[in-house]
Amino acid sequence: DMAKEAVDKALTDARLGYASVQQAVCGYVYGDSTCGQRALYQIGLTGIPVVNVNNNCSTGSTALYLAAELVRGGRAACVLALGFEKMQRGSLGQTFSDRASPLERHVEVLAERHGLEAAPIAAQMFGAAGREHMKMYGTTPEHFAKIAAKNHRHSANNPNSQFTDVYSVQEILSSQPIYAPLTKLQCCPTSDGAAAAVLANEEFVLRYGLQAQAVELLAVEMATDLPSVFNDKSAIKMVGYDMTIRAAQAVYAKTGLRPDQFQVVELHDCFSANELLTYEALGLCPPGKAGELVDRGDNTYGGKFVVNPSGGLISKGHPLGATGLAQCTELCWQLRGLAGPRQVPGCRRALQHNIGLGGAVVVAAYQLGFPEAAVTAASVAGVSAGDSQDEFQSAKIFRIIGQGLETEGEQIVKKVNGVFAFKVTGGPGGKVGLWLVDCKNGRGKVEFNGQGKADVTITISDQDLVQLMLGKLNPQQAFFSGKLKMQGNMGLAMKLREFQSRVGELKAKL
């Protein structure tokens, strides 16, 4: 069910039907073989190739990487990447006890360097790396706590976050100890969730007119463990520091970009210690200087970078198979200007990092594919694209229109054949909202703060739109008095009566 919801939303966002998808890559860790097929069969049975992947905590980004490889290699023009997880309770553990553990050599490094304690093994690994950084560079427990506080603070603005509570640095330091320097509020939770992305080549994007929402995957690189993981007897190396460097440098080489040319970063903060280490591995600061970056606030709004605006794994959650694709989703929203109250101003490029012990890391770079064509809700409506539609009286009208499209969509699309943008002014506190009513594609759809190119834009106040749809405001009089403004296809604007025809139902529900 989670997978179906994620895929439906991704296809709706891409304005595509499932029949357009030519191949799919599905990622999950907890589940039997062919769970990807079972999940996608909820959406349809089209006979396409479906590949299942499991790469520990980097499973979602591995699905993204493989989907990109299929598109770039010319094997398919449109590929779906899906990640989902319903996790077992408690901290991560070994499922099969009758064979060698994939992490046994990593655990040997931990045991030899730091010993083993009665604590979750992943927390020991990353906590030990944090201890090493403290010893080498003078980092303090407060630095790690500041990172956790920042991510909890960011999550308060993310409606998809597992947790939205905000904590002070002192509250984080005082929470339940897990493995020094890590406390409970510096560790990601056990999570369920799903995320999906649609990848396509440029020819496909142009053929279907998707330039307005297309985000370009400039580069996506994967790396696995290097000899230093076992030979250097370092917990920092053991948790993937060097393979992150390798993947990041490959991305920078392929794109010609420097780390300081990215405004937003979604990185793998399974523990606060790993976020700090990753600043250095990605080149956001020199080795040993991550503590100074934290103290300057260069990892949050107003600083040099905004890292994990979603709340990160620590607060947003970490459903293993979905995490990498949830990062992708957040970065696409940021680049389109659709991240609402957590929107990073001036976001032009975004960087992703997702790591799994055992090991694999994926680093990816994003930017808008057709910036001149991008039309975001923020730019059309002139406000932050995350305000709740329930604040507007008009919301009920658009819900009823949406219900009409669900039941009579094909007929309405045949009659109307156009996309309306309703810019609704005069909301609570003077807010402005944008609804896109697509009566042109498929069965049609209604989106609040949607995006894409509209054939006609109608500007009207919240109260006047209600009166107009109830038949209490004459459209001609409203137009000539300036209450109703229209730009674009005026002939299409005359088809508003198709919505007004539901006035009886509107009166009953309003």
Side-chain angles (χ1 to χ4, degrees), residues 16 37 52 88 170 205 226 230-231 233 267 291 347 377 381 403 419 443 464:
L16 296 170
Q37 282 90 325
N52 293 283
Q88 295 174 351
Q170 189 54 50
V205 170
L226 298 162
F230 307 117
N231 296 341
K233 307 301 179 185
L267 61 78
C347 177
Q403 291 166 8
V419 179
R443 297 175 59 86
D464 286 343

Side-chain angles (χ1 to χ4, degrees), residues 50 72 89 135 312 379 395 480:
V50 176
R72 287 202 169 113
R89 289 182 177 275
K135 185 175 181 179
S379 64
F480 287 111

Side-chain angles (χ1 to χ4, degrees), residues 34-69:
T34 67
C35 280
Q37 282 90 325
R38 177 65 180 86
L40 289 176
Y41 289 173
Q42 295 286 101
I43 298 145
L45 288 87
T46 56
I48 61 171
V50 176
V51 178
N52 293 283
V53 298
N54 176 350
N55 236 1
N56 224 340
C57 299
S58 60
T59 293
S61 59
T62 299
L64 179 75
Y65 172 82
L66 287 176
E69 290 291 289

Side-chain angles (χ1 to χ4, degrees), residues 244-326:
T244 291
I245 292 175
R246 184 184 182 92
Q249 289 180 344
V251 166
Y252 301 146
K254 183 167 284 187
T255 61
L257 297 171
R258 304 183 309 273
D260 61 4
Q261 292 178 287
F262 294 87
Q263 293 77 44
V264 181
V265 183
E266 280 283 315
L267 61 78
H268 196 92
D269 62 314
C270 50
F271 301 91
S272 58
N274 196 49
E275 176 162 332
L276 185 139
L277 295 171
T278 305
Y279 295 161
E280 298 176 9
L282 291 176
L284 306 186
C285 65
K289 300 296 183 181
E292 295 178 18
L293 182 149
V294 171
D295 288 336
R296 290 194 304 269
D298 275 342
N299 58 356
T300 189
Y301 297 86
K304 191 174 182 180
F305 310 97
V306 178
V307 181
N308 290 332
S310 67
L313 283 58
I314 284 176
S315 197
K316 178 186 64 182
H318 182 25
L320 309 187
T323 290
L325 287 161

